[in-house]
Amino acid sequence: MSGESVVERLCSIPVDFHKQQNVSAVRLMERSGYLETPEVLTVENLKPYLARHRDLIDRWIQWSEDQRSHPAWVFGRGQAGYFLYCIPANGEDYVFDDGCQACAEFIIRVVRQWAQFAKP
């Protein structure tokens, strides 16, 4: 699977999750090809895709708001821009002007978290 295809599949997880209601986020991540090519999970690769599909930023914000597990990364939009932090607090607390950058950073963190639960 190409790097572009992996990026597309990873960025689209919130959309695919709602379309395929019987498939977990971890399973969607596994199907993306990420585990075979983890090197594609970079801000430099995700950001251009998100810039072309800006609606995905709102989908990831909604994903963040719908989370009910801990630890969890939180991603949203506030008065100062886009924010990213972890619950429980781990000292990483970020504010971004660029929604694509913030969303890419969020995706990287949650995908790496999900990868811990992937089948070997």
Side-chain angles (χ1 to χ4, degrees):
M1 190 171 303
S2 74
E4 284 183 30
S5 178
V6 173
V7 166
E8 177 182 355
R9 288 174 175 227
L10 289 173
C11 289
S12 299
I13 284 176
V15 175
D16 295 339
F17 182 80
H18 287 287
K19 284 181 184 174
Q20 305 172 36
Q21 295 180 0
N22 61 343
V23 180
S24 72
V26 171
R27 184 70 180 124
L28 291 170
M29 180 271 306
E30 290 171 338
R31 290 180 183 174
S32 74
Y34 165 71
L35 296 174
E36 293 77 30
T37 56
E39 67 277 2
V40 304
L41 189 65
T42 65
V43 170
E44 294 77 20
N45 288 337
L46 298 178
K47 195 173 163 182
Y49 185 82
L50 293 167
R52 291 190 308 275
H53 304 277
R54 296 189 76 77
D55 59 304
L56 290 173
I57 297 170
D58 289 330
R59 297 300 291 262
W60 279 104
I61 289 171
Q62 186 63 53
W63 182 276
S64 175
E65 292 172 355
D66 290 344
Q67 294 182 102
R68 299 292 181 261
S69 62
H70 291 257
W73 283 96
V74 178
F75 167 53
R77 185 179 7 248
Q79 292 178 340
Y82 294 86
F83 55 83
L84 177 64
Y85 62 90
C86 189
I87 297 175
N90 66 0
E92 293 185 71
D93 192 10
Y94 306 97
V95 176
F96 301 89
D97 293 328
D98 181 353
C100 296
Q101 172 87 26
C103 190
E105 297 279 357
F106 178 70
I107 293 169
I108 289 168
R109 285 164 174 79
V110 297
V111 168
R112 287 181 180 159
Q113 196 171 32
W114 294 335
Q116 297 172 28
F117 301 103
K119 293 180 183 177

